[in-house]
Amino acid sequence: MTATALASAPLAAEDHTVDGLKAPPMTATDLVTMPRLSGATVAMDRYAVFSVTETDPDTLDRSRQHYVLDLQQSDASPVPFELPIEAYALAFGQDNFLYFLSTEHLDEQQEPRSRLWRAALEGNGNVTGPMLVADMPDTDIAGFKLAPTSNAVALWAEIPRDCPSFGCADSTAAHLPGPGSGRLYQGDEGFFRHWDRWATPGVYNRTFLFGLVDGKVVGDGAPVDGGVDPSGIKGNTPTMPFGGGGDIAWAPDGSGVYFVAREANANEPVSTDHDIYFASISDWPPLVITDANKAVDTAPAPSPDGRFLAYLAMARPGYESDRMVVQLRDRTTGETRALTQNVDLSFGRLEWSADGSYLLATAADVLDTPVFRINPVSGETTKLDLMAGNEAHIGNIVPLSGDRLLFTRDSIGVPSELFLSDGMGQARPLTDIVTSRMGELASTVTTRFSFPGAKGDTVWGQITRLENQTGPIPAILYIHGGPQGSFRDGWSSRWNPRVVASQGYAVISVDFHGSAGYGQEFMDSINRDWGGKPLEDLQKGLAAALKLDEQIDGSKACAMGASYGGYMVNWIAGKWPDRFNCLVQHDGLFDMRSFYYSTEELWFPRWDFGGSYAEASDEYERWNPVNHVDRWQTPMLVITGEKDYRVPYTQGLQSFTALQERNIPSQLLVFPDENHWVLGAENSLQWHKTVFDWLDRWLDESEPKAEVE
């Protein structure tokens, strides 16, 4: 077993003191009100603009403060600036104007609606404007992407597919035939609900291309999906529910856009076939580029000279967690090469260097998310060393001239800050939005460790606890979701190890078989083995953590997880019933049969269990927690959101019923307005208070549990 310890706060603490004063532990209120830094947009290769979301500690209302920073001045500080209307989705155009969306209007008599604006911004924070760029009657603009030639813009919004323009005020909803309030869905139209909302058949995210003249949109707009032409595309661009600007990329000469879409039809709930298309401003219908691949194709990134298109692709249809391989297509010859086919990494965000000589991409790598440099000729892939110590989680990369790289970095100990690397070397911090504030709180330390897990494979985990805390320290086993995910070294505003550790617990997470960042074979190994190797890894990982840190009291332990982590909590309740003092199960799968027939993205269970429930019922039942409720005995807190359509809230109700029937101490926390995640500030506070009260109740008062080695 190996281990490395990393301080996760910028200032060391002796007995939880800072500058001789007792440092308070981080609270749930600290977590909820912690400023949140966005990625940056850059003008003139010099001025970076970013936003910080602030949360009022009294009202919990959220607002944005905007900053501009001169990257050419090494000692420059971010300069706050104000816009007269609330602004979001900030982006610089090649005309160096700052474009943004706002639901407000300079004229308070105008109807609230999301419109596109622009303003002139100086490096000292002076603002001229804003000026209205696009106002679409009866339609909220959901997003935009500016052409690099400054003479066009792509706008998108939810628009009926049979609408030839950007919005149709008189469109009718076919699924609301009346006279009652019932919604009527057809069996061959794809999703009837998705993620956290019921579908509106015939309405999709649709993107239109408009000209820009003197900072105003002109023309009727050309739909990239081909419009009402029968040969056009029926689907969402950007994709739903998590697609965004990364699904759309302008050709460098402004001749059109590359975009991602998945056909919306009866096959949609079982298909991961995302394709990349090219829509020319002057030539219709759109041209499909990746039709040969029936799996995911995404993240189009044209080279600065326009000759090449880089993108990410999976190989196996129906598998949402297949390896993302960087592809390079020669737009002249049509030849496509898989640049990273021999690199066992799954890449995420993809960008060209400013001069177009190489590609940059992020990828999960053990517990970090570093940046990799990719040679577009040879495919040689090199991990960049941008941070002293561990890279932790790097994101929002923006390549600049002179081999400079602007990015955000966060870790378990500190939320995102903005950094700049010169020459792709060690980066320097540009902001102190949260770092000093975190240093005023009791310091925590995170220790990485590895151990031989199932099949003798190396498995990694982390322990986060208060620095210099002496035992006995109760243990919390954190179980991540996905299941093809990871509790990486990164900040989370939801499942945050530091805030739990600050309550006096040792938070232990294990990247069991199936986790991301350890190669595709390791990730694939959970397939048809949901309760097998992962449970063995958790058992061995908990034992390894207790052996590594003798301050942790394994006789006082609770396990908690969400989504697949919630499934594993239900599985542990029946398969490892005598180990924990308590359990916390959030949005967990309880009955695999009823889950299959009520979830929406059916490709997910079909891949992980080898087919539909009818085709592979034995596999579903083999790993079905409901089959082991006769062994349940551990007190459990169940949490669910009524708008969760991925793991419908009825799964939580079923598990709560099982607990009640067996007279097991239990609680049920239901959020009527939350989906698979808890996002609201007040709801987050309630979530943490309920969880902390539950942990305190059972770890302070329960009889010790026997440790299992």
Side-chain angles (χ1 to χ4, degrees):
M1 181 173 66
T2 61
T4 56
L6 300 163
S8 61
L11 298 177
E14 294 293 331
D15 298 328
H16 316 312
T17 62
V18 176
D19 295 333
L21 301 175
K22 185 174 179 62
M26 181 181 174
T27 66
T29 299
D30 291 324
L31 176 64
V32 169
T33 61
M34 197 66 64
R36 302 181 185 184
L37 175 78
S38 73
T41 179
V42 179
M44 302 168 60
D45 204 43
R46 175 175 180 177
Y47 295 104
V49 163
F50 59 90
S51 302
V52 176
T53 299
E54 304 274 1
T55 303
D56 187 286
D58 296 321
T59 65
L60 298 181
D61 291 336
R62 287 174 173 157
S63 60
R64 295 180 184 88
Q65 175 62 64
H66 311 295
Y67 296 85
V68 59
L69 176 62
D70 188 344
L71 300 178
Q72 290 187 3
Q73 304 297 322
S74 60
D75 59 348
S77 297
V79 177
F81 66 90
E82 300 292 338
L83 292 165
I85 53 178
E86 184 180 358
Y88 60 98
L90 280 61
F92 277 114
Q94 287 298 311
D95 56 7
N96 296 321
F97 277 88
L98 182 66
Y99 290 75
F100 59 90
L101 296 176
S102 179
T103 56
E104 298 179 351
H105 200 288
L106 296 173
D107 180 359
E108 295 182 356
Q109 301 302 313
Q110 293 291 321
E111 175 188 0
R113 184 167 61 246
S114 180
R115 301 170 173 89
L116 180 61
W117 302 77
R118 73 171 184 167
L121 174 65
E122 300 175 45
N124 60 7
N126 289 339
V127 174
T128 302
M131 290 123 335
L132 187 60
V133 177
D135 182 3
M136 301 301 179
D138 306 306
T139 304
D140 286 290
I141 299 173
F144 68 97
K145 203 68 170 288
L146 296 159
T149 48
S150 298
N151 62 350
V153 63
L155 304 178
W156 60 86
E158 290 189 75
I159 298 172
R161 184 61 184 79
D162 57 4
C163 180
S165 60
F166 197 91
C168 292
D170 58 351
S171 63
T172 59
H175 73 300
L176 299 175
S181 60
R183 294 185 292 257
L184 179 64
Y185 292 93
Q186 307 300 325
D188 59 353
E189 292 183 343
F191 288 120
F192 56 91
R193 63 180 187 178
H194 198 192
W195 187 248
D196 61 3
R197 62 179 185 170
W198 289 85
T200 303
V203 176
Y204 306 99
N205 264 353
R206 298 185 62 201
T207 298
F208 287 67
L209 307 183
F210 291 86
L212 273 179
V213 176
D214 296 328
K216 288 186 176 293
V217 296
V218 294
D220 295 329
V224 302
D225 57 16
V228 297
D229 191 307
S231 62
I233 304 160
K234 185 175 71 172
N236 290 292
T237 297
T239 55
M240 294 289 281
F242 304 121
D247 284 345
I248 298 169
W250 278 93
D253 62 1
S255 60
V257 296
Y258 300 94
F259 66 94
V260 180
R262 179 179 60 199
E263 287 279 351
N265 51 34
N267 196 47
E268 188 178 19
V270 298
S271 170
T272 60
D273 187 11
H274 293 65
D275 277 314
I276 297 174
Y277 299 79
F278 181 74
S280 168
I281 289 181
S282 58
D283 186 23
W284 300 92
L287 172 68
V288 60
I289 295 175
T290 59
D291 188 48
N293 182 30
K294 301 307 178 183
V296 172
D297 299 287
T298 189
S303 61
D305 63 5
R307 177 178 175 182
F308 297 100
L309 176 69
Y311 62 96
L312 301 174
M314 297 182 183
R316 290 176 281 184
Y319 187 18
E320 66 178 7
S321 296
D322 199 13
R323 182 165 60 109
M324 285 281 203
V325 175
V326 178
Q327 310 283 335
L328 189 70
R329 181 180 178 88
D330 189 320
R331 296 292 286 125
T332 302
T333 66
E335 178 190 6
T336 301
R337 293 183 293 124
L339 290 181
T340 61
Q341 184 62 45
N342 297 323
V343 181
D344 199 7
L345 295 167
S346 185
F347 290 95
R349 181 158 177 166
L350 186 64
E351 300 284 349
W352 286 90
S353 64
D355 63 3
S357 63
Y358 57 89
L359 285 155
L360 293 166
T362 58
D365 185 22
V366 187
L367 295 167
D368 294 318
T369 308
V371 180
F372 295 83
R373 178 172 176 157
I374 304 168
N375 186 313
V377 177
S378 66
E380 180 183 4
T381 301
T382 306
K383 182 164 68 173
L384 299 180
D385 182 14
L386 300 177
M387 301 295 303
N390 288 328
E391 306 296 282
H393 176 239
I394 291 177
N396 300 303
I397 57 175
V398 181
L400 303 172
S401 66
D403 287 334
R404 295 174 299 150
L405 184 65
L406 187 68
F407 61 90
T408 59
R409 188 254 191 183
D410 61 273
S411 66
I412 286 177
V414 182
S416 288
E417 298 282 12
L418 195 63
F419 290 80
L420 179 65
S421 166
D422 294 309
M424 299 296 165
Q426 290 285 299
R428 58 184 173 89
L430 300 179
T431 60
D432 183 4
I433 303 299
V434 289
T435 302
S436 292
R437 177 170 169 177
M438 295 302 297
E440 297 172 355
L441 302 173
S443 179
T444 59
V445 63
T446 292
T447 302
R448 299 182 178 190
F449 66 98
S450 64
F451 60 93
K455 298 173 55 180
D457 296 337
T458 298
V459 176
W460 283 87
Q462 298 180 112
I463 304 169
T464 300
R465 66 178 182 88
L466 287 167
E467 192 173 23
N468 300 316
Q469 183 181 5
T470 57
I473 308 171
I476 307 296
L477 181 62
Y478 247 29
I479 310 172
H480 71 67
Q484 295 90 354
S486 169
F487 271 135
R488 64 191 176 193
D489 187 358
W491 187 261
S492 172
S493 60
R494 293 178 290 114
W495 283 73
N496 186 290
R498 177 163 181 169
V499 73
V500 177
S502 294
Q503 312 311 305
Y505 302 112
V507 180
I508 301 165
S509 63
V510 174
D511 273 356
F512 46 79
H513 278 77
S515 299
Y518 307 90
Q520 194 60 42
E521 182 180 353
F522 189 87
M523 181 179 283
D524 290 347
S525 66
I526 198 173
N527 185 262
R528 309 187 197 188
D529 192 31
W530 265 36
K533 291 186 293 293
L535 177 59
E536 183 178 346
D537 290 341
L538 291 168
Q539 292 171 329
K540 291 180 175 179
L542 178 58
L546 297 177
K547 184 177 180 180
L548 176 66
D549 190 338
E550 295 181 353
Q551 299 296 323
I552 305 175
D553 181 4
S555 70
K556 295 291 183 98
C558 286
M560 55 190 291
S563 196
Y564 172 84
Y567 160 89
M568 181 53 71
V569 168
N570 286 330
W571 188 248
I572 284 172
K575 301 296 284 187
W576 199 13
D578 55 355
R579 179 61 186 89
F580 295 99
N581 301 82
C582 68
L583 301 170
V584 178
Q585 182 258 102
H586 182 148
D587 290 342
L589 293 76
F590 171 76
D591 179 8
M592 303 308 294
R593 179 180 182 179
S594 62
F595 162 76
Y596 178 84
Y597 285 112
S598 57
T599 192
E600 13 83 292
E601 293 182 351
L602 290 173
W603 64 74
F604 166 64
R606 287 189 178 199
W607 182 273
D608 274 18
F609 292 91
S612 69
Y613 183 85
E615 295 166 335
S617 59
D618 288 348
E619 200 69 45
Y620 284 87
E621 294 302 335
R622 180 185 181 192
W623 306 115
N624 197 347
V626 74
N627 293 333
H628 305 283
V629 293
D630 59 320
R631 300 187 66 201
W632 281 26
Q633 64 184 41
T634 310
M636 183 187 296
L637 166 64
V638 179
I639 307 173
T640 188
E642 286 188 22
K643 296 179 70 176
D644 184 359
Y645 303 147
R646 180 63 44 85
V647 181
Y649 75 95
T650 51
Q651 292 287 302
L653 302 187
Q654 292 172 49
S655 61
F656 187 58
T657 297
L659 292 160
Q660 291 175 298
E661 282 189 337
R662 298 187 59 79
N663 295 316
I664 298 171
S666 54
Q667 288 184 341
L668 173 67
L669 177 61
V670 181
F671 290 102
D673 51 348
E674 296 287 2
N675 55 34
H676 201 54
W677 303 327
V678 176
L679 302 176
E682 287 139 329
N683 288 343
S684 179
L685 285 178
Q686 184 180 6
W687 187 97
H688 282 88
K689 182 182 185 305
T690 305
V691 169
F692 291 163
D693 287 348
W694 185 255
L695 298 180
D696 290 346
R697 172 181 171 183
W698 297 105
L699 295 181
D700 284 348
E701 300 176 2
S702 292
E703 291 296 320
K705 289 284 185 175
E707 296 182 30
V708 179
E709 295 295 335

